[in-house]
Amino acid sequence: MPGSQLRVDFTDGSISVSAGCNGMGGNYTLSAESELATGPLAGTMMACAQDLMDQDAWLSGKVF
């Protein structure tokens, strides 16, 4: 969505992801081939503008 930001932060084995409305977070690992894998991610469930909700749905489909 124009004007929003996709943000991914990595800190000490934790990943935090946001696309402008809700956030998701959990643990991650990197394989020897530098492949990123996450465990189950917990997320907030706030109601936002539909465009931002659609963007959150897109992002959660990419992350899981």
Side-chain angles (χ1 to χ4, degrees):
M1 178 175 165
S4 66
Q5 293 183 358
L6 173 61
R7 183 175 181 153
V8 180
D9 294 308
F10 299 93
T11 307
D12 298 325
S14 296
I15 185 171
S16 175
V17 182
S18 174
C21 181
N22 289 288
M24 296 175 277
N27 296 323
Y28 77 91
T29 58
L30 286 174
S31 71
E33 296 79 24
S34 298
E35 181 179 31
L36 175 71
T38 68
L41 300 179
T44 60
M45 295 180 66
M46 298 183 299
C48 300
Q50 189 60 51
D51 288 345
L52 289 174
M53 298 289 287
D54 292 345
Q55 189 165 272
D56 281 351
W58 169 82
L59 179 61
S60 66
K62 301 297 180 191
V63 173
F64 295 108

